[in-house]
Amino acid sequence: IGTKLIDLLVSTGLSASKSMARKDIQGNGIKVNGEKVSNTELLLSSELFVNSRMILSKGKGKHKVIDLI
């Protein structure tokens, strides 16, 4: 919580770099819990977690489940 989505995309391996993560978001290629993200400066907050989980998706085939500890 308080981390930028861009940093999370890089640390999970969904994006190779921060600049690629920005391009992925701007190209409507990133979803959080099934909702497209358009804000490249989005900060993670507890509202993004459903039952202490968040699902990050890139395109149709790459998904990561993030658990809130």
Side-chain angles (χ1 to χ4, degrees):
I1 296 186
T3 303
K4 286 187 177 184
L5 176 62
I6 287 176
D7 294 327
L8 186 61
L9 289 169
V10 173
S11 67
T12 59
L14 287 176
S15 295
S17 65
K18 288 184 180 184
S19 63
M20 182 55 84
R22 282 187 194 90
K23 289 178 186 177
D24 292 338
I25 291 170
Q26 291 168 344
N28 292 320
I30 301 296
K31 291 182 182 180
V32 175
N33 297 326
E35 300 289 326
K36 288 183 182 179
V37 176
S38 59
N39 182 1
T40 58
E41 297 300 316
L42 181 67
L43 291 176
L44 299 181
S45 65
S46 59
E47 290 85 33
L48 294 174
F49 289 84
V50 178
N51 295 327
S52 298
R53 282 200 157 158
M54 176 176 57
I55 300 173
L56 278 179
S57 303
K58 178 179 176 183
K60 292 184 179 182
K62 295 182 181 178
H63 310 286
K64 297 286 181 177
V65 176
I66 310 299
D67 289 317
L68 183 63
I69 305 174

